[in-house]
Amino acid sequence: MSDFRWKGNGPEFLTVGRGRAWRLHVGASEPGPTSSDERSYAKLLALQSIAAIGRPAERAFGGATLREFARRQGCVQATYSPPGWGGLTVRATWGPTRSQGGLDLEVQLSATSVGQLKRVEVGIISGWTAEPAESAARVARWVEPRDIPSAASSYDGRESADTLAALTTLPVPLPSWEMIGPRILSAPGFDADTYYVEMVQPHDCARRILDQLPGGPAPNRPNVSTRYGLFGHDLEKGVVLRARLRGLWIRSQTPVATALALFEEFLREPPPLGP
């Protein structure tokens, strides 16, 4: 079986990727690919939340908001419509990468309302820990903002008091700087020189929030989790926003250089065709 080509009729789908069994239940809370073995637990590229100015909605995705799902050519597509959000529709598609044996997620956002949804974010979360319970640990949070409005979003009422108490916002990048780059993780149970690399199209992501273990945000320290606030734009009727994320496994003695090369390939890829 090719890596991350899903099988099943749903709402639960199964696959094998990078030597592990993965499960995707589109009706579960925080739907996304999960895997566990005797060494580690992972939930990758999962739908977590919706947020707008002054309005958070964690766990907005699951059976109560699931409208339809399907499996097409090894990909799983699920559509959610959370009530009370101005006709907001979120469509997520999980499938195999075109090469490298990894996992792609495409998120599409639209609404039927006019003037209601300001700086809307769809929250995506990934975590890889030694035990499932550890994914709830909170030590420090570091925000990588796309721009000045995105940096301000952390303090406009969409984050909880507990989150803000541990939050540090990193400098806003200058226009000439490369924005949010790939994240490199040496996960629990990985062999030497093996890494998980996760990336997002930089303009698709308003904020990336890193939950860190003690020691600060260093490339060689495992994250408890990584959270993405996708989009961060006002949403009007008839507008469709799309975002793309990718998870890859690499074996390299120079993981930063390898990850950056793969990131450049990701940036050059044309977006998927389709409605």
Side-chain angles (χ1 to χ4, degrees), residues 79-200:
T79 302
Y80 302 86
S81 298
W85 278 85
L88 190 74
T89 297
V90 179
R91 190 182 76 184
T93 305
W94 294 269
T97 57
R98 300 179 184 182
S99 61
Q100 303 292 331
L103 175 68
D104 274 355
L105 169 62
E106 180 186 353
V107 179
Q108 179 176 296
L109 183 66
S110 61
T112 59
S113 60
V114 177
Q116 293 187 26
L117 302 173
K118 303 297 184 181
R119 301 238 292 269
V120 180
E121 291 181 343
V122 174
I124 305 296
I125 190 167
S126 288
W128 204 313
T129 58
E131 297 292 341
E134 293 181 12
S135 63
R138 295 293 182 263
V139 178
R141 293 185 175 93
W142 306 80
V143 182
E144 297 173 309
R146 178 179 59 202
D147 48 30
I148 293 173
S150 300
S153 293
S154 297
Y155 308 97
D156 68 5
R158 70 187 65 209
E159 299 290 356
S160 68
D162 287 344
T163 294
L164 294 177
L167 198 69
T168 299
T169 299
L170 298 177
V172 176
L174 293 172
S176 59
W177 294 0
E178 180 61 70
M179 291 183 288
I180 298 170
R183 190 65 187 168
I184 305 168
L185 173 63
S186 179
F190 274 25
D191 297 331
D193 299 333
T194 300
Y195 301 88
Y196 173 70
V197 179
E198 199 167 83
M199 57 193 72
V200 62

Side-chain angles (χ1 to χ4, degrees), residues 12-265:
E12 181 179 59
F13 301 89
L14 303 173
T15 191
V16 173
R18 311 306 288 185
R20 296 171 64 110
W22 295 85
R23 172 180 178 266
L24 170 58
H25 196 305
V26 295
S29 178
E30 294 189 357
T34 62
S35 177
S36 62
D37 58 20
E38 68 277 4
R39 300 182 298 175
S40 63
Y41 171 84
K43 174 177 277 192
L44 304 180
L45 301 179
L47 298 175
Q48 184 193 41
S49 62
I50 299 170
I53 294 177
R55 187 178 182 188
E58 295 188 358
R59 302 187 182 276
F61 303 101
T65 58
L66 179 64
R67 294 296 171 259
E68 60 183 11
F69 59 85
R71 179 175 58 87
R72 299 185 180 93
Q73 298 180 337
C75 298
V76 171
Q77 187 175 95
T79 302
Y80 302 86
S81 298
W85 278 85
L88 190 74
T89 297
V90 179
R91 190 182 76 184
T93 305
W94 294 269
T97 57
R98 300 179 184 182
S99 61
Q100 303 292 331
L103 175 68
D104 274 355
L105 169 62
E106 180 186 353
V107 179
Q108 179 176 296
L109 183 66
S110 61
T112 59
S113 60
V114 177
Q116 293 187 26
L117 302 173
K118 303 297 184 181
R119 301 238 292 269
V120 180
E121 291 181 343
V122 174
I124 305 296
I125 190 167
S126 288
W128 204 313
T129 58
E131 297 292 341
E134 293 181 12
S135 63
R138 295 293 182 263
V139 178
R141 293 185 175 93
W142 306 80
V143 182
E144 297 173 309
R146 178 179 59 202
D147 48 30
I148 293 173
S150 300
S153 293
S154 297
Y155 308 97
D156 68 5
R158 70 187 65 209
E159 299 290 356
S160 68
D162 287 344
T163 294
L164 294 177
L167 198 69
T168 299
T169 299
L170 298 177
V172 176
L174 293 172
S176 59
W177 294 0
E178 180 61 70
M179 291 183 288
I180 298 170
R183 190 65 187 168
I184 305 168
L185 173 63
S186 179
F190 274 25
D191 297 331
D193 299 333
T194 300
Y195 301 88
Y196 173 70
V197 179
E198 199 167 83
M199 57 193 72
V200 62
Q201 290 283 337
H203 294 284
D204 296 345
C205 185
R207 301 180 298 146
R208 182 168 65 179
I209 301 176
L210 309 177
D211 282 12
Q212 296 286 156
L213 295 177
N220 61 344
R221 299 190 63 85
N223 289 330
V224 173
S225 68
T226 305
R227 179 156 61 97
Y228 304 85
L230 301 180
F231 308 118
H233 304 298
D234 296 351
L235 189 62
E236 297 288 351
K237 182 178 181 180
V239 175
V240 177
L241 302 177
R242 292 183 176 88
R244 289 184 291 153
L245 303 97
R246 174 166 294 174
L248 295 170
W249 285 255
I250 62 173
R251 190 175 182 89
S252 174
Q253 294 185 352
T254 56
V256 174
T258 302
L260 288 174
L262 292 168
F263 183 54
E264 289 296 326
E265 293 180 10

